[in-house]
Amino acid sequence: MKKVSLLFASIALSVCVSFAQSNVATVSETGTDQTATVGQTGILNVSNVTQSNKENTADVVQSNLNVLYNTLSDINQSGETNLATVKQISNGTLTGANAIGTLKAIVNQLGNKNEALQVQGPHNQQGISFAEIIQGGNDNFASQHQLKYGNEARINQAGSGNTAEQAQDSELLPDEEGSYGNALINQSGNDNFASQKQDGWANEAKAYQSGSGNSSIQVQKDYSWKSVALVNQSGSLNKATQTQVGNTNSALIDQASNSNEAIQDQKSGSQK
């Protein structure tokens, strides 16, 4: 049995509906026991949900009442018992020549029993933010939380039992300036953990884990800006922690063997 709810009407199997405020939702499902829920309020929101196989669940909530803004969500689940949740709110106040548009969230789950969570909002001045989660293994968890604007986040998990968490500007207050962060987590091994928290301006954090049982924690905080953090773990059971406060820091941890631990703490430039 398939369950498809658009909060406005009940429909079956495949749907392409344009709502009164120029919103478009398309749901296409094959297989059994699929569930899709899409709720859109505002102007120029677009949601695509494609589910095959069985027992997948997709939940999309998009809210945008500013004609200068639009949001796009694209969920594709071809495995079994996957869960994808996308929440986007664009209540930006920039107008005219300074207007910033487009929030884009993509979830592609090819494996089984994966969970993906994407949240963009609620701080204003959002736009040109991009979030992507691709999970090809099994039993993976990935979450992305983006505030402010101009952030880009990617998670790619090809192994199984991995956890990846990204948060950009989630610790900043509404009146504090941030954004243009770049975060990437790539996990091709099993049972790895990677966490990235960016609060500030134009920071870059990347973590590559091809071994198993590794842990990577990267924190760029207290309104840091233009700092770079890189972790590369090709062995197993390694631990890497990077903390950057201030401006224009650069940190690299490369762990190719097993059971290593590295901690980097950088403070420089003007600090909040």
Side-chain angles (χ1 to χ4, degrees):
M1 180 181 67
K2 300 175 181 64
K3 301 176 184 177
V4 181
S5 170
L6 270 75
L7 302 188
F8 313 99
S10 296
I11 55 178
L13 188 58
S14 179
V15 60
C16 181
V17 179
S18 179
F19 298 102
Q21 293 181 317
S22 301
N23 295 311
V24 178
T26 302
V27 177
S28 179
E29 295 180 327
T30 59
T32 59
D33 294 316
Q34 315 280 15
T35 301
T37 303
V38 179
Q40 296 179 314
T41 303
I43 300 172
L44 298 179
N45 292 303
V46 177
S47 173
N48 299 312
V49 177
T50 302
Q51 297 185 135
S52 59
N53 214 315
K54 66 179 182 179
E55 297 178 355
N56 294 300
T57 300
D59 187 6
V60 181
V61 178
Q62 295 178 308
S63 176
N64 179 2
L65 298 177
N66 191 322
V67 69
L68 298 173
Y69 290 72
N70 55 77
T71 57
L72 170 64
S73 171
D74 193 347
I75 295 175
N76 190 332
Q77 299 185 126
S78 58
E80 298 180 6
T81 323
N82 294 300
L83 171 62
T85 302
V86 177
K87 299 179 181 180
Q88 296 180 316
I89 299 175
S90 179
N91 58 350
T93 58
L94 299 182
T95 59
N98 295 319
I100 299 176
T102 306
L103 295 178
K104 187 175 182 179
I106 297 175
V107 176
N108 191 350
Q109 298 189 129
L110 307 176
N112 304 319
K113 297 182 179 179
N114 295 302
E115 182 176 353
L117 171 63
Q118 294 174 315
V119 179
Q120 294 178 313
H123 286 351
N124 58 9
Q125 292 189 357
Q126 285 215 124
I128 316 183
S129 287
F130 173 77
E132 179 180 60
I133 295 174
I134 299 176
Q135 297 185 130
N138 303 319
D139 297 302
N140 295 303
F141 173 80
S143 69
Q144 297 171 316
H145 190 178
Q146 296 176 314
L147 277 69
K148 302 298 185 179
Y149 59 93
N151 289 306
E152 183 172 319
R154 285 185 170 92
I155 294 174
N156 188 351
Q157 295 173 318
S160 297
N162 295 303
T163 298
E165 301 173 348
Q166 294 173 320
Q168 294 174 308
D169 297 324
S170 61
E171 298 294 328
L172 294 182
L173 298 176
D175 60 344
E176 292 180 315
E177 189 174 13
S179 297
Y180 292 107
N182 189 321
L184 169 66
I185 295 174
N186 193 330
Q187 297 171 319
S188 57
N190 301 319
D191 300 313
N192 293 302
F193 173 82
S195 174
Q196 296 171 326
K197 294 185 66 176
Q198 296 177 309
D199 293 298
W201 185 270
N203 294 302
E204 181 176 332
K206 295 182 178 181
Y208 299 90
Q209 297 173 315
S210 58
S212 297
N214 294 302
S215 173
S216 171
I217 299 175
Q218 297 168 303
V219 179
Q220 295 166 318
K221 64 179 184 177
D222 294 342
Y223 191 52
S224 61
W225 54 275
K226 290 188 176 180
S227 292
V228 177
L230 173 62
V231 172
N232 188 358
Q233 296 172 317
S234 57
S236 297
L237 301 175
N238 294 301
K239 295 181 180 180
T241 302
Q242 295 173 318
T243 303
Q244 295 176 318
V245 178
N247 309 328
T248 62
N249 294 298
S250 180
L252 168 64
I253 294 177
D254 192 350
Q255 296 171 317
S257 55
N258 302 322
S259 301
N260 296 300
E261 183 172 0
I263 299 175
Q264 294 175 322
D265 191 353
Q266 294 179 318
K267 296 181 180 180
S268 63
S270 60
Q271 301 173 25
K272 182 181 173 181

